[in-house]
């Protein structure tokens, strides 16, 4: 029993979610799995950060459109000349002197206002950037979905672990209670001379050996609940409790059968990488667009006025306007464009290699998860039958000991065998639920109770 409890504790530690959300405010108390998932979806900090990334990506789409739309500017300027500029003319009254006379130009006060407009007529980088921003937004959405599935999977595993640990503690307490009840019976029988004193001593030692097991199991249950707190983002100051046994929820056989076929189209991390390849292709096009000319139209409308005093009227304002086209083409930039195109191409190849590797990992992960589910299903039926057999054996051992034809050792062995069988089934159910959660994460699936809160 001691070794088994240690194995359960190690299993919970190894399968606890890593790098989960930091504590955030949330409700405590007794929680179902559905409530725990909803709390995590609302309070998980990493998920909230991913939402901001989605909003940022959508804002980039608007920004990209802005480069393709017309631009309008207005500027105004007022200046007062402290010392007016001058130019020099000969002294026409005395040309022989060779003197020149400074002549002030301009006015003391000047004002101008300019309205300008421009519109890109052709720029490959601008129009490619609009489509690139849209794809980038899809990347952010898929990465958010991947984080969402990851958070839900972490909470599910932590919740299952807390249930298993609570069941282990419950079985340990029941085992101790049975041993204490047996000690009381043996003590009564020993006082009546019906059993040997050795049997009473053995029952006493059995009770004392089980007390540390109960303490260890209860500590393991506390640690498992704390792991669930971290996964949910619930502060340690809030109370949190899980109740019930681990139920058996078989995965739909159709989902398992089609997992290999669907994983490459449903996994959000793979979808995000594929969108990133599209973004890299757009970057290549943008860099290549530097070889092409750009054409833009522009227009200006300007109002000007100058006067030595501030008594200006509409008659003092002079208007001017112009329109035109700007054509620009780079002739040579030190082969920078070639280098940038090559870098973008290498980035795309890198992403393609990552996609190939991830596809292999996903196929392997799906195969491992589905094989695990099938193996565990085969074990569950056999273990349920083992529990029935152990229950019958324990009842027979107690009956034999009660009528004097059995020994205390037989009762202890039967009791331990029954406890071991129950824990074996609980652990098997736990392994099945963890494997089903892993499969859902690989397939990018969310439980039905999490879909509404995930939107």
């Amino acid at each position: 029993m001691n070794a088994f409890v240690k194995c359960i504790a190690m299993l919970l530690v190894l399968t606890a979610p890593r790098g989960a959300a930091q504590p955030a405010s949330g409700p405590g108390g007794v929680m179902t799995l559905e409530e725990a998932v909803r709390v995590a979806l609302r309070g998980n900090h990493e998920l909230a950060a991913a939402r901001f990334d989605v909003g940022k990506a959508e804002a980039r789409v608007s920004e990209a459109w802005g480069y393709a739309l017309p631009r309008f500017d207005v500027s105004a300027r007022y200046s007062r000349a402290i010392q007016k500029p001058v130019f020099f003319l000969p002294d026409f009254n005395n040309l022989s002197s060779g003197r020149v006379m400074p002549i002030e130009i301009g006015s003391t006060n000047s004002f101008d206002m300019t309205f300008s407009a421009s519109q890109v007529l052709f720029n490959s980088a601008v129009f490619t950037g609009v489509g690139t921003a849209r794809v980038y937004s899809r990347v952010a959405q898929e990465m958010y979905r991947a984080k969402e599935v990851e958070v839900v999977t972490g909470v599910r595993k932590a919740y299952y672990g807390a249930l298993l640990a609570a069941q282990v503690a419950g079985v340990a307490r029941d085992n101790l209670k049975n041993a204490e009840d047996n000690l009381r019976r043996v003590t009564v029988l020993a006082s009546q001379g019906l059993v040997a004193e050795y049997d009473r001593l053995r029952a006493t030692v059995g009770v004392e050996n089980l007390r540390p097991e109960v303490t260890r199991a209860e500590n393991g249950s506390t640690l498992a609940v704390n792991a669930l707190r971290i996964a949910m983002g619930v502060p340690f100051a809030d109370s949190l409790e899980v109740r019930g046994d681990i139920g058996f929820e078989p995965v739909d056989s159709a989902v398992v059968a089609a997992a290999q076929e669907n994983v490459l189209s449903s996994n959000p991390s793979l979808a995000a990488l594929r969108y990133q390849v599209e973004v890299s292709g757009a970057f290549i096009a943008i860099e290549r667009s530097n070889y092409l000319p750009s054409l833009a139209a522009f227009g200006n409308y300007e109002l000007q006025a100058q006067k030595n005093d501030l008594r200006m009227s509409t008659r003092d304002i002079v208007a001017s306007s112009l329109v035109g086209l700007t054509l620009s083409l780079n002739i040579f930039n030190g082969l920078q464009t070639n280098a940038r195109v090559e870098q973008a191409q290498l980035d795309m190849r890198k992403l393609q290699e990552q996609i190939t590797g991830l596809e292999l990992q996903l196929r392997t992960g799906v195969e491992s998860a589905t094989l695990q589910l099938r193996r565990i299903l085969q074990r569950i039926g056999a273990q349920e039958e083992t529990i029935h057999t152990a229950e019958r054996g324990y009842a027979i051992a107690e009956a034999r000991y009660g009528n004097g034809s059995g020994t205390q050792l037989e009762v202890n062995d039967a009791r331990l065998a029954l406890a071991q069988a129950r824990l074996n089934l609980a652990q098997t159910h736990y392994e099945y639920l963890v494997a089903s959660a892993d499969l859902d994460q690989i397939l990018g699936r969310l439980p039905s109770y999490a879909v509404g809160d995930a939107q």
Side-chain angles (χ1 to χ4, degrees):
M1 182 71 175
N2 183 16
F4 188 78
V5 171
K6 290 181 178 178
C7 290
I8 292 294
M10 182 62 70
L11 182 65
L12 294 175
V13 170
L14 291 176
T15 55
R18 311 280 181 181
Q22 299 298 318
S25 60
V30 181
M31 279 201 178
T32 64
L33 174 59
E34 292 81 358
E35 292 169 341
V37 167
R38 293 188 183 116
V39 169
L41 289 176
R42 290 193 296 268
N44 185 278
H45 297 313
E46 294 181 359
L47 199 56
R51 291 192 193 100
F52 292 135
D53 287 337
V54 173
K56 181 179 178 181
E58 292 173 351
R60 285 189 174 182
V61 175
S62 300
E63 179 187 4
W65 269 111
Y67 290 108
L69 296 176
R71 176 172 176 171
F72 301 94
D73 296 287
V74 61
S75 63
R77 184 181 64 173
Y78 164 78
S79 63
R80 179 177 179 84
I82 305 302
Q83 290 181 317
K84 297 178 183 179
V86 299
F87 70 92
F88 296 91
L89 291 176
D91 185 357
F92 294 103
N93 294 323
N94 190 3
L95 293 174
S96 61
S97 66
R99 295 175 56 191
V100 293
M101 301 293 294
I103 305 299
E104 291 184 343
I105 59 174
S107 302
T108 303
N109 301 291
S110 63
F111 168 82
D112 64 82
M113 177 177 289
T114 303
F115 300 90
S116 61
S118 61
Q119 170 64 60
V120 173
L121 300 180
F122 176 78
N123 189 318
S124 179
V126 169
F127 300 119
T128 304
V130 174
T132 304
R134 287 175 175 171
V135 178
Y136 181 80
S137 176
R138 296 191 189 104
V139 173
Q141 291 169 3
E142 291 297 336
M143 294 183 72
Y144 173 79
R145 190 164 68 93
K147 177 59 66 176
E148 200 173 53
V149 174
E150 178 186 336
V151 168
V152 172
T153 301
V155 172
R156 290 172 66 185
K157 287 184 177 182
Y159 193 90
Y160 298 146
L163 282 180
L164 176 61
Q167 190 164 344
V168 168
V171 170
R173 286 190 291 267
D174 290 343
N175 201 27
L176 176 61
K177 182 177 181 302
N178 289 338
E180 290 172 340
D181 292 343
N182 181 65
L183 174 60
R184 284 191 288 270
R185 287 196 302 269
V186 172
T187 301
V188 172
L189 293 175
S191 65
Q192 296 174 354
L194 299 178
V195 298
E197 179 66 13
Y198 172 77
D199 288 339
R200 189 188 67 79
L201 293 175
R202 185 178 179 86
T204 301
V205 171
V207 169
E208 296 306 319
N209 285 338
L210 287 175
R211 294 191 193 279
E213 297 298 331
V214 173
T215 301
R216 278 190 287 269
E218 290 176 342
N219 289 341
S221 179
T222 300
L223 291 175
V225 171
N226 288 340
L228 177 59
R229 290 178 188 273
I230 295 173
M232 292 171 55
V234 175
F236 280 76
D238 291 352
S239 63
L240 181 62
E241 184 181 353
V242 296
R243 288 181 183 173
D245 296 334
I246 297 180
F248 177 60
E249 302 174 8
V251 179
D252 189 349
S253 58
V255 173
V256 176
Q260 279 285 359
E261 179 182 351
N262 295 335
V263 65
L264 298 186
S265 60
S266 62
N267 183 270
S269 297
L270 183 59
L273 272 180
R274 287 172 173 164
Y275 282 130
Q276 287 180 23
V277 169
E278 291 187 35
V279 172
S280 293
F283 283 160
I284 294 174
I286 290 173
E287 296 300 342
R288 283 178 174 164
S289 68
N290 291 323
Y291 294 121
L292 302 175
S294 62
L295 181 64
F298 67 90
N300 287 334
Y301 182 78
E302 186 174 13
L303 300 175
Q304 299 180 73
Q306 292 190 11
K307 205 169 185 182
N308 288 322
D309 55 45
L310 293 176
R311 294 192 297 272
M312 293 186 184
S313 65
T314 56
R315 292 175 298 178
D316 299 317
I317 299 175
V318 178
S320 61
S321 60
L322 62 89
V323 294
L325 296 174
T326 299
L327 177 67
S328 63
L329 175 63
N330 176 258
I331 303 301
F332 180 73
N333 64 352
L335 301 179
Q336 294 180 32
T337 299
N338 288 342
R340 287 195 292 264
V341 169
E342 184 178 359
Q343 292 175 46
Q345 289 173 337
L346 291 174
D347 286 339
M348 174 181 276
R349 292 174 187 171
K350 177 182 176 181
L351 286 170
Q352 289 170 340
E353 290 296 330
Q354 291 176 345
I355 287 175
T356 302
L358 182 57
E359 286 177 348
L360 180 60
Q361 292 178 16
L362 293 176
R363 288 189 180 278
T364 303
V366 166
E367 183 177 5
S368 175
T370 53
L371 288 176
Q372 179 81 341
L373 290 174
R374 293 189 181 103
R375 283 197 298 265
I376 295 174
L377 276 177
Q378 295 173 355
R379 286 163 47 195
I380 287 176
Q383 288 177 348
E384 289 175 344
E385 184 61 32
T386 300
I387 289 178
H388 295 321
T389 302
E391 288 173 343
R392 290 182 56 202
Y394 183 57
I396 292 173
E398 280 196 315
R400 282 171 50 81
Y401 186 76
N403 60 31
S405 60
T407 65
Q408 178 65 35
L409 180 60
E410 291 177 350
V411 175
N412 289 342
D413 289 344
R415 174 171 45 79
L416 288 174
L418 177 57
Q420 183 77 36
R422 288 172 176 168
L423 285 176
N424 283 341
L425 181 61
Q427 181 186 0
T428 303
H429 284 168
Y430 168 78
E431 292 174 358
Y432 186 89
L433 293 173
V434 167
S436 68
D438 287 335
L439 181 61
D440 284 344
Q441 182 175 4
I442 295 173
L443 295 176
R445 285 163 41 92
L446 285 174
S448 59
Y449 53 79
V451 172
D453 290 82
Q455 300 301 325

